[in-house]
Amino acid sequence: MDEPQALVAFAALSQETRLRVVRNLVTAGPDGLAAGVLGSEIGVSTSNLSFHLKELEHAGLIQSRREGRSIIYSAVYPTMSALIAFLMKDCCQGRPEVCAPAVAALGDCCAPEEVLHA
């Protein structure tokens, strides 16, 4: 990810409703959520949600697909990963203790269930 792409992504995330959308979709996993369910979960009308979804799709943070009569939205995990990598690249400058808390936080959230409860 380059700086212009990161700026577009951060601009899209800098609004409360859009940040809530992304967090809900990340939590939902690769299967995503139907637009109506997503709107209900974050308490936003369909017309308002549509505007925000377009901004997030434009930034490459989410994608949509049609399933029957529903439009399903899901997070684009490679873009999320690239955004995190953009922020963290060269963070420790030879001092791994600087990045250790961030790496540990990601490791905790992404560890397989059996590792978390071992």
Side-chain angles (χ1 to χ4, degrees):
M1 176 169 290
D2 60 20
E3 190 171 290
Q5 292 169 313
L7 288 170
V8 170
F10 284 123
L13 291 170
S14 69
Q15 198 280 337
E16 181 181 6
T17 299
R18 292 193 288 267
L19 183 59
R20 287 181 181 171
V21 165
V22 169
R23 290 191 61 155
N24 272 270
L25 291 177
V26 167
T27 301
D31 292 338
L33 293 171
V37 172
L38 183 57
S40 294
E41 285 190 7
I42 62 173
V44 176
S45 70
T46 305
S47 60
N48 192 350
L49 181 64
S50 178
F51 167 77
H52 293 297
L53 291 170
K54 287 177 189 174
E55 289 293 313
L56 291 166
E57 271 193 294
H58 172 73
L61 296 168
I62 68 169
Q63 61 190 1
S64 62
R65 68 183 185 281
R66 182 167 288 283
E67 284 187 9
R69 293 175 34 191
S70 297
I71 298 177
I72 308 298
Y73 290 89
S74 57
V76 179
Y77 292 97
T79 302
M80 301 287 180
S81 296
L83 188 57
I84 293 167
F86 175 83
L87 284 175
M88 299 301 293
K89 185 178 179 184
D90 304 322
C91 74
C92 60
Q93 302 287 317
R95 296 175 44 215
E97 71 276 5
V98 173
C99 294
V103 171
L106 287 172
D108 288 347
C109 78
C110 299
E113 186 79 19
E114 59 273 7
V115 172
L116 289 175
H117 299 291

